[in-house]
Amino acid sequence: MTSQFNKMQTVKRRFFAMRNGLLADQMRRAGSSFRIIFGLNIIQLKEIAQEYGHDTSLAAELWRNRTTRESMLLAPMLWRQDDFSYAQALKLCGEIPDTEVADMVCHALLKKRDDAGAIVDALYADESPLMRYAALRLMLPLIGSKVDAPKAVAMAENELAKASPLTKSLATMVKSEAEYMMEED
């Protein structure tokens, strides 16, 4: 317990030491929902993640720290895709607070899972635009492998018809990528 507390304190000190006040202020003005923003970029977070490697308990503690942007972004980098059952992966997705965290969860954690296609289906069936965003974000790297291209096109077109500002750009990208995959040489 003390060791875990020390790890968390060390991570928080790293966030503080690497902070970028200009970027943090810019994110606040843009409407970020996080109370604490240090303004670290993904490369800096990856550096920290490499220092700790796979650390399930630290990742869980960071994930519970919902007020801090960098904690929510670093946590998926410290988990392995097999640290979760399918149900736990869906529960984790249900706790995603914004698109930036959704991007990280999908890119760093979920896309490597064998059941990633099923996760896409479950997230897309949700009424929440943020969960549908996560489904589309996860679908993007899976087109042609775990999600077939015609299905991706259909889901993207369906999402575009909903005209959600949150998902419009991503749905357009998914549709374009899937259509490209379907082109015959």
Side-chain angles (χ1 to χ4, degrees), residues 5 18 25 27 35 39-40 45 51 59 65 70 92 96 104 110 113 119 127 130 133 139 146 148 152 165 183-184:
F5 176 78
M18 299 171 90
D25 288 344
M27 295 177 87
R35 192 172 55 108
L40 274 66
L45 291 168
E51 289 175 27
N65 186 9
E70 287 72 12
L92 179 82
I96 292 172
M104 186 57 64
L110 298 180
R113 291 178 57 97
I119 293 172
E127 289 300 312
L130 183 57
Y133 176 94
M139 184 186 309
K146 296 177 184 172
D148 64 38
E183 288 178 3
E184 291 183 8

mmCIF file of all heavy atoms in Angstrom, residues 5 18 25 27 35 39-40 45 51 59 65 70 92 96 104 110 113 119 127 130 133 139 146 148 152 165 183-184:
data_model
loop_
_atom_site.group_PDB
_atom_site.id
_atom_site.type_symbol
_atom_site.label_atom_id
_atom_site.label_comp_id
_atom_site.label_asym_id
_atom_site.label_seq_id
_atom_site.Cartn_x
_atom_site.Cartn_y
_atom_site.Cartn_z
ATOM 1 N N PHE A 5 1.274 4.084 -2.880
ATOM 2 C CA PHE A 5 1.110 5.503 -2.581
ATOM 3 C C PHE A 5 2.333 6.283 -3.071
ATOM 4 O O PHE A 5 2.200 7.343 -3.673
ATOM 5 C CB PHE A 5 0.906 5.714 -1.069
ATOM 6 C CG PHE A 5 0.828 7.162 -0.678
ATOM 7 C CD1 PHE A 5 -0.338 7.877 -0.886
ATOM 8 C CD2 PHE A 5 1.921 7.800 -0.120
ATOM 9 C CE1 PHE A 5 -0.416 9.220 -0.540
ATOM 10 C CE2 PHE A 5 1.858 9.139 0.223
ATOM 11 C CZ PHE A 5 0.681 9.852 0.020
ATOM 12 N N MET A 18 6.737 18.317 -15.474
ATOM 13 C CA MET A 18 6.658 18.367 -16.931
ATOM 14 C C MET A 18 5.531 19.280 -17.430
ATOM 15 O O MET A 18 5.309 19.384 -18.633
ATOM 16 C CB MET A 18 6.453 16.950 -17.487
ATOM 17 C CG MET A 18 7.582 15.994 -17.159
ATOM 18 S SD MET A 18 7.185 14.289 -17.608
ATOM 19 C CE MET A 18 7.818 14.252 -19.285
ATOM 20 N N ASP A 25 -3.834 25.915 -20.022
ATOM 21 C CA ASP A 25 -4.785 27.038 -20.087
ATOM 22 C C ASP A 25 -5.610 26.988 -21.365
ATOM 23 O O ASP A 25 -6.818 27.241 -21.353
ATOM 24 C CB ASP A 25 -4.045 28.375 -20.003
ATOM 25 C CG ASP A 25 -3.499 28.654 -18.619
ATOM 26 O OD1 ASP A 25 -3.945 27.988 -17.651
ATOM 27 O OD2 ASP A 25 -2.624 29.541 -18.500
ATOM 28 N N MET A 27 -6.419 24.313 -23.025
ATOM 29 C CA MET A 27 -7.385 23.221 -22.889
ATOM 30 C C MET A 27 -8.555 23.636 -21.999
ATOM 31 O O MET A 27 -9.700 23.287 -22.281
ATOM 32 C CB MET A 27 -6.698 21.974 -22.351
ATOM 33 C CG MET A 27 -5.674 21.420 -23.321
ATOM 34 S SD MET A 27 -4.800 20.023 -22.655
ATOM 35 C CE MET A 27 -5.946 18.757 -23.170
ATOM 36 N N ARG A 35 -10.697 19.095 -13.869
ATOM 37 C CA ARG A 35 -10.389 20.153 -12.905
ATOM 38 C C ARG A 35 -8.889 20.425 -12.894
ATOM 39 O O ARG A 35 -8.463 21.563 -12.746
ATOM 40 C CB ARG A 35 -10.873 19.736 -11.515
ATOM 41 C CG ARG A 35 -10.865 20.850 -10.503
ATOM 42 C CD ARG A 35 -11.532 20.426 -9.212
ATOM 43 N NE ARG A 35 -10.921 19.229 -8.678
ATOM 44 C CZ ARG A 35 -10.152 19.184 -7.601
ATOM 45 N NH1 ARG A 35 -9.924 20.252 -6.905
ATOM 46 N NH2 ARG A 35 -9.624 18.055 -7.194
ATOM 47 N N GLY A 39 -1.164 19.730 -18.880
ATOM 48 C CA GLY A 39 -0.775 20.078 -20.237
ATOM 49 C C GLY A 39 0.308 19.195 -20.830
ATOM 50 O O GLY A 39 0.990 19.612 -21.768
ATOM 51 N N LEU A 40 0.476 17.983 -20.309
ATOM 52 C CA LEU A 40 1.460 17.064 -20.876
ATOM 53 C C LEU A 40 0.961 16.551 -22.220
ATOM 54 O O LEU A 40 -0.249 16.387 -22.432
ATOM 55 C CB LEU A 40 1.707 15.879 -19.947
ATOM 56 C CG LEU A 40 2.767 16.081 -18.860
ATOM 57 C CD1 LEU A 40 2.349 17.130 -17.855
ATOM 58 C CD2 LEU A 40 3.049 14.778 -18.170
ATOM 59 N N LEU A 45 3.694 11.490 -21.763
ATOM 60 C CA LEU A 45 2.986 10.434 -21.027
ATOM 61 C C LEU A 45 3.564 9.058 -21.361
ATOM 62 O O LEU A 45 3.696 8.205 -20.476
ATOM 63 C CB LEU A 45 1.486 10.487 -21.319
ATOM 64 C CG LEU A 45 0.774 11.714 -20.751
ATOM 65 C CD1 LEU A 45 -0.625 11.847 -21.325
ATOM 66 C CD2 LEU A 45 0.723 11.651 -19.229
ATOM 67 N N GLU A 51 8.664 4.068 -18.041
ATOM 68 C CA GLU A 51 9.364 3.934 -16.762
ATOM 69 C C GLU A 51 8.673 2.929 -15.845
ATOM 70 O O GLU A 51 9.340 2.207 -15.114
ATOM 71 C CB GLU A 51 9.442 5.283 -16.052
ATOM 72 C CG GLU A 51 10.376 6.257 -16.705
ATOM 73 C CD GLU A 51 10.337 7.622 -16.048
ATOM 74 O OE1 GLU A 51 10.023 7.706 -14.845
ATOM 75 O OE2 GLU A 51 10.632 8.612 -16.743
ATOM 76 N N ALA A 59 -2.217 1.726 -12.590
ATOM 77 C CA ALA A 59 -3.166 2.130 -13.626
ATOM 78 C C ALA A 59 -4.563 2.315 -13.031
ATOM 79 O O ALA A 59 -5.238 3.310 -13.320
ATOM 80 C CB ALA A 59 -3.205 1.090 -14.745
ATOM 81 N N ASN A 65 -8.511 8.554 -10.418
ATOM 82 C CA ASN A 65 -8.232 9.981 -10.241
ATOM 83 C C ASN A 65 -8.877 10.761 -11.391
ATOM 84 O O ASN A 65 -8.202 11.315 -12.255
ATOM 85 C CB ASN A 65 -6.718 10.195 -10.190
ATOM 86 C CG ASN A 65 -6.326 11.602 -9.861
ATOM 87 O OD1 ASN A 65 -7.158 12.422 -9.497
ATOM 88 N ND2 ASN A 65 -5.053 11.898 -9.998
ATOM 89 N N GLU A 70 -4.181 14.010 -17.048
ATOM 90 C CA GLU A 70 -3.027 13.156 -17.312
ATOM 91 C C GLU A 70 -3.151 11.794 -16.647
ATOM 92 O O GLU A 70 -2.670 10.800 -17.190
ATOM 93 C CB GLU A 70 -1.737 13.876 -16.884
ATOM 94 C CG GLU A 70 -1.319 15.000 -17.808
ATOM 95 C CD GLU A 70 -2.174 16.262 -17.741
ATOM 96 O OE1 GLU A 70 -2.999 16.401 -16.806
ATOM 97 O OE2 GLU A 70 -2.025 17.117 -18.615
ATOM 98 N N LEU A 92 -15.144 -0.169 -18.218
ATOM 99 C CA LEU A 92 -14.107 0.855 -18.338
ATOM 100 C C LEU A 92 -14.524 1.908 -19.366
ATOM 101 O O LEU A 92 -14.408 3.113 -19.118
ATOM 102 C CB LEU A 92 -12.783 0.213 -18.747
ATOM 103 C CG LEU A 92 -11.612 1.168 -18.925
ATOM 104 C CD1 LEU A 92 -10.989 1.484 -17.569
ATOM 105 C CD2 LEU A 92 -10.572 0.553 -19.841
ATOM 106 N N ILE A 96 -15.383 6.484 -19.420
ATOM 107 C CA ILE A 96 -14.614 7.449 -20.221
ATOM 108 C C ILE A 96 -15.303 8.807 -20.144
ATOM 109 O O ILE A 96 -16.490 8.917 -20.451
ATOM 110 C CB ILE A 96 -14.501 6.969 -21.686
ATOM 111 C CG1 ILE A 96 -13.624 5.722 -21.773
ATOM 112 C CG2 ILE A 96 -13.985 8.074 -22.586
ATOM 113 C CD1 ILE A 96 -13.603 5.067 -23.145
ATOM 114 N N MET A 104 -7.380 7.458 -26.275
ATOM 115 C CA MET A 104 -6.277 6.754 -25.623
ATOM 116 C C MET A 104 -6.679 5.329 -25.241
ATOM 117 O O MET A 104 -5.911 4.383 -25.442
ATOM 118 C CB MET A 104 -5.795 7.519 -24.388
ATOM 119 C CG MET A 104 -4.568 6.903 -23.757
ATOM 120 S SD MET A 104 -3.161 6.741 -24.885
ATOM 121 C CE MET A 104 -2.816 8.459 -25.234
ATOM 122 N N LEU A 110 -7.587 -1.134 -26.155
ATOM 123 C CA LEU A 110 -8.633 -2.016 -26.675
ATOM 124 C C LEU A 110 -8.386 -2.574 -28.067
ATOM 125 O O LEU A 110 -8.817 -3.688 -28.372
ATOM 126 C CB LEU A 110 -9.983 -1.295 -26.649
ATOM 127 C CG LEU A 110 -10.480 -0.886 -25.270
ATOM 128 C CD1 LEU A 110 -11.826 -0.180 -25.396
ATOM 129 C CD2 LEU A 110 -10.558 -2.058 -24.325
ATOM 130 N N ARG A 113 -7.195 -6.228 -28.465
ATOM 131 C CA ARG A 113 -7.963 -7.341 -27.896
ATOM 132 C C ARG A 113 -8.584 -8.209 -28.991
ATOM 133 O O ARG A 113 -9.002 -7.713 -30.034
ATOM 134 C CB ARG A 113 -9.070 -6.791 -26.996
ATOM 135 C CG ARG A 113 -8.549 -6.146 -25.723
ATOM 136 C CD ARG A 113 -9.695 -5.586 -24.902
ATOM 137 N NE ARG A 113 -10.678 -6.598 -24.573
ATOM 138 C CZ ARG A 113 -10.714 -7.261 -23.423
ATOM 139 N NH1 ARG A 113 -9.826 -7.010 -22.482
ATOM 140 N NH2 ARG A 113 -11.646 -8.168 -23.211
ATOM 141 N N ILE A 119 -16.557 -5.411 -28.871
ATOM 142 C CA ILE A 119 -16.595 -4.178 -28.074
ATOM 143 C C ILE A 119 -17.122 -3.026 -28.933
ATOM 144 O O ILE A 119 -17.952 -2.229 -28.478
ATOM 145 C CB ILE A 119 -15.215 -3.863 -27.467
ATOM 146 C CG1 ILE A 119 -14.849 -4.924 -26.422
ATOM 147 C CG2 ILE A 119 -15.199 -2.470 -26.836
ATOM 148 C CD1 ILE A 119 -13.429 -4.839 -25.899
ATOM 149 N N GLU A 127 -26.688 4.563 -26.581
ATOM 150 C CA GLU A 127 -27.302 5.812 -27.033
ATOM 151 C C GLU A 127 -26.398 7.020 -26.858
ATOM 152 O O GLU A 127 -26.598 8.049 -27.493
ATOM 153 C CB GLU A 127 -28.636 6.047 -26.293
ATOM 154 C CG GLU A 127 -29.734 5.104 -26.723
ATOM 155 C CD GLU A 127 -30.051 5.230 -28.213
ATOM 156 O OE1 GLU A 127 -30.215 6.358 -28.716
ATOM 157 O OE2 GLU A 127 -30.093 4.174 -28.882
ATOM 158 N N LEU A 130 -20.853 9.821 -26.864
ATOM 159 C CA LEU A 130 -19.466 9.541 -26.474
ATOM 160 C C LEU A 130 -19.137 8.053 -26.630
ATOM 161 O O LEU A 130 -18.043 7.704 -27.079
ATOM 162 C CB LEU A 130 -19.197 10.004 -25.040
ATOM 163 C CG LEU A 130 -17.763 9.827 -24.537
ATOM 164 C CD1 LEU A 130 -16.747 10.537 -25.435
ATOM 165 C CD2 LEU A 130 -17.646 10.339 -23.107
ATOM 166 N N TYR A 133 -18.809 7.448 -30.265
ATOM 167 C CA TYR A 133 -17.499 7.977 -30.661
ATOM 168 C C TYR A 133 -16.419 6.930 -30.365
ATOM 169 O O TYR A 133 -15.572 6.646 -31.205
ATOM 170 C CB TYR A 133 -17.198 9.287 -29.912
ATOM 171 C CG TYR A 133 -15.818 9.823 -30.201
ATOM 172 C CD1 TYR A 133 -15.614 10.762 -31.203
ATOM 173 C CD2 TYR A 133 -14.701 9.362 -29.491
ATOM 174 C CE1 TYR A 133 -14.333 11.237 -31.495
ATOM 175 C CE2 TYR A 133 -13.426 9.831 -29.774
ATOM 176 C CZ TYR A 133 -13.248 10.760 -30.777
ATOM 177 O OH TYR A 133 -11.980 11.215 -31.057
ATOM 178 N N MET A 139 -13.100 1.229 -34.017
ATOM 179 C CA MET A 139 -13.304 0.580 -35.310
ATOM 180 C C MET A 139 -12.216 0.970 -36.314
ATOM 181 O O MET A 139 -11.782 0.128 -37.111
ATOM 182 C CB MET A 139 -14.672 0.972 -35.877
ATOM 183 C CG MET A 139 -14.997 0.267 -37.172
ATOM 184 S SD MET A 139 -16.524 0.844 -37.928
ATOM 185 C CE MET A 139 -17.686 0.741 -36.598
ATOM 186 N N LYS A 146 -10.667 -7.018 -37.780
ATOM 187 C CA LYS A 146 -11.680 -7.493 -36.830
ATOM 188 C C LYS A 146 -13.063 -6.904 -37.102
ATOM 189 O O LYS A 146 -14.042 -7.307 -36.491
ATOM 190 C CB LYS A 146 -11.245 -7.166 -35.402
ATOM 191 C CG LYS A 146 -9.970 -7.890 -35.000
ATOM 192 C CD LYS A 146 -9.520 -7.512 -33.627
ATOM 193 C CE LYS A 146 -8.189 -8.183 -33.315
ATOM 194 N NZ LYS A 146 -7.598 -7.728 -32.075
ATOM 195 N N ASP A 148 -15.355 -5.887 -40.579
ATOM 196 C CA ASP A 148 -15.290 -5.859 -42.040
ATOM 197 C C ASP A 148 -15.683 -4.473 -42.558
ATOM 198 O O ASP A 148 -16.439 -3.734 -41.949
ATOM 199 C CB ASP A 148 -16.089 -6.983 -42.684
ATOM 200 C CG ASP A 148 -17.577 -6.920 -42.430
ATOM 201 O OD1 ASP A 148 -18.138 -5.822 -42.417
ATOM 202 O OD2 ASP A 148 -18.192 -7.993 -42.264
ATOM 203 N N ALA A 152 -18.352 -1.405 -41.429
ATOM 204 C CA ALA A 152 -17.837 -0.104 -40.981
ATOM 205 C C ALA A 152 -18.498 1.029 -41.762
ATOM 206 O O ALA A 152 -18.871 2.053 -41.178
ATOM 207 C CB ALA A 152 -16.317 -0.055 -41.123
ATOM 208 N N PRO A 165 -22.577 16.287 -33.581
ATOM 209 C CA PRO A 165 -21.327 17.040 -33.738
ATOM 210 C C PRO A 165 -20.117 16.302 -33.153
ATOM 211 O O PRO A 165 -19.004 16.456 -33.652
ATOM 212 C CB PRO A 165 -21.577 18.336 -32.966
ATOM 213 C CG PRO A 165 -23.043 18.430 -32.766
ATOM 214 C CD PRO A 165 -23.576 17.033 -32.835
ATOM 215 N N GLU A 183 -12.215 -0.897 -52.097
ATOM 216 C CA GLU A 183 -11.879 -0.678 -53.515
ATOM 217 C C GLU A 183 -11.121 -1.870 -54.072
ATOM 218 O O GLU A 183 -10.253 -2.425 -53.425
ATOM 219 C CB GLU A 183 -11.017 0.579 -53.670
ATOM 220 C CG GLU A 183 -11.760 1.857 -53.462
ATOM 221 C CD GLU A 183 -10.860 3.072 -53.580
ATOM 222 O OE1 GLU A 183 -9.649 2.921 -53.889
ATOM 223 O OE2 GLU A 183 -11.358 4.176 -53.369
ATOM 224 N N GLU A 184 -11.470 -2.215 -55.285
ATOM 225 C CA GLU A 184 -10.751 -3.307 -55.950
ATOM 226 C C GLU A 184 -9.543 -2.733 -56.672
ATOM 227 O O GLU A 184 -9.588 -1.634 -57.215
ATOM 228 C CB GLU A 184 -11.659 -3.985 -56.957
ATOM 229 C CG GLU A 184 -12.780 -4.741 -56.269
ATOM 230 C CD GLU A 184 -13.640 -5.474 -57.297
ATOM 231 O OE1 GLU A 184 -13.288 -5.509 -58.486
ATOM 232 O OE2 GLU A 184 -14.654 -6.002 -56.872
#
